[in-house]
Every structure is written in structure tokens, then in C-alpha cells.
Amino acid sequence: MNATTKPAVSSKTKSANEGGITAVSVKPPRKVTYVFKATTSDNLSIPYVVAVDGKVLAAYAGRTARVSGKGGRLTVTVQQGQRVSLYLNSDAHPDFRKQPVYAVTPGERDVVVSITEKKGKHKDTDVPVLQANTAGAQGDAKKEDVYAAPLTGDIWMKVSHKYTADEVEPRLPNGTSSAVQKAVKSIYTGLSSSTLVINEPAKAERPARTLTVKFTDSNNPKDNISSYTLLADGLPRVHPGGYAALFTAALECKTPSITVSSCWRPMLGSIAHRAGLGLDVSVVGGTNMNRQELRRSLKVSSSSSKGNGDDKDNVTDAEVRAFSEYEQAIAQKKKADAELDAAAATLKSANKGGEAQRIMAAQERFAEAEKNAKLATDLRAKKRAVWDQQRDAGEPLQAKLFRASLLECSCVRQLFDPWFMEQNTKDSKQSEPNMQVTSNETLHAHHLHITVDDPKIL
């Protein structure tokens, strides 16, 4: 500023200006922690977002986070007096978020909310109830307020988005026919019966096609929700893309009918069905999607498995024998590998000791173990090839074609069935055969399951 310029305003500092001080109230920070205890699954991963004073935090604007149902914890720091709530499951999707649950407002202390799954029919609300206070280090101050809240079937249904007919088309895979679109929409406008008939008109390159879809309900929602029906509450909570994938695949492989055996359900299995992204099929045309005989036959007699004598039930007697021999080859391979590891350890120890006679004996043992391990590897591969051949030969064509079509659908993220397990349809790995060893394999030995791909939920 030059010497001739005058300031627009001037002021002087006043001494002892006590009256000019403004008191600002600063609320202390508080931690709110939610702990989840899902009693119906050991590996539940629950989608969630956090809202403070009714507004979703910026970190969750276009996505959800996940918390383990096996004691998983999530913590948010807010100011005293701010209200914290959660959006869970499919309701956590950025397009939905209509049902905030488990709201708490911290006061003088931090807050811990313990949420425990509760089976049976209950009408408990999701409002956390104050349980106890934890004493501080000196026993004279309380460290946190502890609340408890249930996670019932009713609450699962509350946080599971119920789709509308207007939400269908944007969620269908590209190329979905008008007949399938119409059929899928009818599910959300309200079916009058549990049977849906889809008529697809003829085109120049193919004749007209008809598919009958039968929906059956599982006991899980009926046993754990106080007011529930399949048509009004179960079917509309499933992502529309899942139905489109099933219907399109069935029509493409000229299957006259399918039975959809489980749709949305609240308290069984992984998060897929609870989030409306899982669908199960138990019958494809004339094929019951069941291969439990494969493992049951081995339990009867692992050394001389013969099957049940019926080669039209998806498991031939020849396959049972081949599978039994493959299992024995696997066991031999494990035994040979264990001996090779032990021989290698012995040789390493002998080399350290430096005693020539001991080293020579260890070398001979290792060479023998190495030879046997290779033989066991070759035998396992040979027996696996025989089982693959027998398994594929006994699989009905409609089941093969149905799976192949589903694997090509952009909506399908996972496909598990009695023959094969596909964890991720988007990667380049081959599907693994269902050997009915793991809990997931055993669960899908009697039906086909698809998980719909919606990354904004899972």
C-alpha cells in the first residue's frame, strides 16, 4: 500500500477487552462400536454402511463395506450427541438405504452395541437396549455404555431390499428377450400362484419355446419370520438378474421346466441368499440335480463301492468305482508325499552330521521316496482322468447345457452344482469338480446355486 492510499476501515486494539470473548462449546469425541454375532453361519460376511445424524458417511457414498458375523467389529468416531445408525445387507446398496437400524446416540461414554442373531419367530425391534456399564481402571468412572440388540428373521427381512417392477429392466443382462423381461417383471408386480409359464414366440432361426417355472419355498423363512409368504415377501427380494439368467438358460437349452427351490431366505448359509443374490434350482427338465450317491457309496464301502445299481440317477456304478479308485490314489499320494518330506528331513540332518554311512542310508531312502512320490503322482492323474470320463459320461445333456449357458451370463458371479464348483466366473480358472468333501461342496450336492453379480452389494 503506498503512502497516499487510505484504508477503508481502521481499528485499535482495546486492552482488557473481556466482553469481546466468545465461548465456543466443543463436544468430546465418542467411539461407537458394533459387534456382530451370527449364530446361523460360521463365515457370514455382512454388507454395511454407516450413517451419522441420518447422513451416510462419504466413505460409503458408492459402495458397501463388509463385517464378519463371527465377532466382527466396526467402529466409528463421532461427537457426543450425534446419532449413529447402520444400513445392512442389500439395503446398504447405494440405490436403496431406506431402513436404518441399530441407532444409538453416545452421551458421556463410548458405546458398544452387541448384535446377536436370534432364531425363531420374534417381533423384537432393532432398537439397542442398554445392558451394563464397564468400570474404568480406578473403578470410579464408567468407560463405555454397552447395548444389546437382536438380529431376527424379521430384521433380516427389513434390511433385505424388496425390488419393484420399475427396478427390473436396469438390472437385467444385455440381450434378455422381451418374453423373459415380461416374466421377470411379473414376479415383482405380484404372482397369483407359485407356477410361472413363459412363452417365447418363434423366430426365423428357431421355433417357439415354452418354459414352466415352479417356485418352492424353504422352511427357513417360514420358521424365522413372524409374517411371511413366498410370493409377496420372498421372491421380490431377489435380484431380477438372477431370474433372467435362469429363465434364459433354460429356454436356450430347450428345457421344458425348472424348479426353483430356494430364493431369498434370512438365516441359513452364506450371505448370498440373505442379500437376495442367491437362487437354487433342484430340477432341470427331467433331471433331479442330486449326486449324493457318489459320497454315500464310499461311506458304505470305500474299498469295493458298487453304487446303487441305477445308472439313470446322475451317478453310474462305473463312476462310483472310478471315484473310489481316485480317492485311494489321493490317499496314496498324500502318504508318499509325507514319506518324501520325512526322507528329505533325514537327509538334511545326516548331511549336517557328516557321517558317511548315515548319509548314504539317507540318500537311498530319499531316492526311493522320490521315486514312489512320482509314481503316486502319475497314478493320481490317471485315476482322475478315468473319474472325469465316467462323471462326464453320466451327466445328462440338459444339465450340461444349462450350466454352460449360466456360466456365459454376465449376471452370474458364482455357480455351484452337484458336478462342478465355480467360485468366480470372471476369472480364467477352470471349474473344480464337486467331490463333496468341503461343507460348501456337500451343501451343493443336491441342487444348483447361482450367485448374482452385484458389486455394490457384495
Side-chain angles (χ1 to χ4, degrees), residues 28-36 50 72-86 101-115 126-134 142-149:
R30 295 284 180 252
K31 287 185 178 180
V32 176
T33 299
Y34 292 91
V35 183
F36 288 82
V50 180
R73 303 166 72 92
L74 65 94
T75 299
V76 59
T77 300
V78 297
Q79 291 183 338
Q80 178 181 321
Q82 287 190 301
R83 185 176 176 84
V84 180
S85 59
L86 302 177
V101 289
Y102 303 121
V104 288
T105 304
E108 296 297 322
R109 290 165 291 279
D110 292 345
V111 168
V112 174
V113 183
S114 181
I115 300 169
D126 60 81
V127 178
V129 177
L130 184 63
Q131 297 295 293
N133 296 115
T134 302
K142 293 177 178 178
K143 184 179 179 181
E144 57 192 20
D145 290 332
V146 179
Y147 289 79

Side-chain angles (χ1 to χ4, degrees), residues 246 261 279-282 284 289 399 402-403 406 415-418 444 446-450:
L246 293 183
S261 52
L279 280 169
D280 292 346
V281 176
S282 59
V284 177
M289 303 295 281
F402 190 58
R403 179 193 307 110
L406 288 171
L415 196 160
F416 305 136
D417 70 33
H444 296 99
H446 50 70
H447 67 272
L448 175 148
H449 164 93
I450 62 168

Side-chain angles (χ1 to χ4, degrees), residues 43-319:
N43 61 348
L44 204 61
S45 183
I46 306 171
Y48 77 88
V49 300
V50 180
V52 177
D53 288 337
K55 185 177 180 180
V56 172
L57 297 182
Y60 308 101
R63 68 176 188 89
T64 64
R66 303 279 284 277
V67 61
S68 168
K70 196 172 183 179
R73 303 166 72 92
L74 65 94
T75 299
V76 59
T77 300
V78 297
Q79 291 183 338
Q80 178 181 321
Q82 287 190 301
R83 185 176 176 84
V84 180
S85 59
L86 302 177
Y87 292 99
L88 297 176
N89 204 32
S90 57
D91 190 52
H93 189 293
D95 292 350
F96 309 142
R97 299 176 180 176
K98 299 174 181 177
Q99 301 290 345
V101 289
Y102 303 121
V104 288
T105 304
E108 296 297 322
R109 290 165 291 279
D110 292 345
V111 168
V112 174
V113 183
S114 181
I115 300 169
T116 304
E117 206 170 27
K118 185 178 179 181
K119 295 181 72 174
K121 295 183 179 182
H122 305 283
K123 294 187 178 182
D124 309 43
T125 71
D126 60 81
V127 178
V129 177
L130 184 63
Q131 297 295 293
N133 296 115
T134 302
Q138 303 301 320
D140 57 358
K142 293 177 178 178
K143 184 179 179 181
E144 57 192 20
D145 290 332
V146 179
Y147 289 79
L151 178 51
T152 65
D154 283 22
I155 296 173
W156 271 116
M157 188 163 75
K158 179 178 179 179
V159 298
S160 301
H161 180 69
K162 185 176 180 180
Y163 294 87
T164 66
D166 292 337
E167 294 172 323
V168 170
E169 284 192 40
R171 291 174 171 81
L172 298 180
N174 292 334
T176 302
S177 71
S178 57
V180 170
Q181 287 187 40
K182 181 181 177 182
V184 174
K185 277 190 177 181
S186 70
I187 294 171
Y188 302 95
T189 55
L191 295 177
S192 58
S193 80
S194 58
T195 299
L196 175 62
V197 178
I198 305 171
N199 293 304
E200 201 164 60
K203 288 186 177 181
E205 68 277 13
R206 61 161 178 78
R209 303 183 293 198
T210 298
L211 172 68
T212 300
V213 182
K214 182 180 179 182
F215 296 102
T216 61
D217 207 358
S218 61
N219 290 327
N220 182 262
K222 293 185 287 187
D223 291 344
N224 292 288
I225 299 174
S226 58
S227 179
Y228 163 89
T229 65
L230 173 65
L231 301 185
D233 303 305
L235 301 186
R237 281 181 164 78
V238 177
H239 191 292
Y243 294 122
L246 293 183
F247 300 166
T248 299
L251 287 165
E252 283 183 350
C253 66
K254 301 177 183 178
T255 296
S257 62
I258 60 172
T259 298
V260 180
S261 52
S262 187
C263 303
W264 175 82
R265 63 186 187 223
M267 302 177 79
L268 179 65
S270 71
I271 195 64
H273 283 279
R274 308 177 197 224
L277 299 180
L279 280 169
D280 292 346
V281 176
S282 59
V283 183
V284 177
T287 300
N288 289 315
M289 303 295 281
N290 191 320
R291 278 171 50 80
Q292 290 174 302
E293 180 199 344
L294 182 68
R295 181 59 62 179
R296 287 174 177 171
S297 295
L298 266 64
K299 289 181 179 179
V300 174
S301 175
S302 60
S303 60
S304 59
S305 298
K306 299 179 180 179
N308 63 3
D310 181 2
D311 280 359
K312 296 181 180 179
D313 61 353
N314 304 324
V315 181
T316 65
D317 290 356
E319 186 195 348

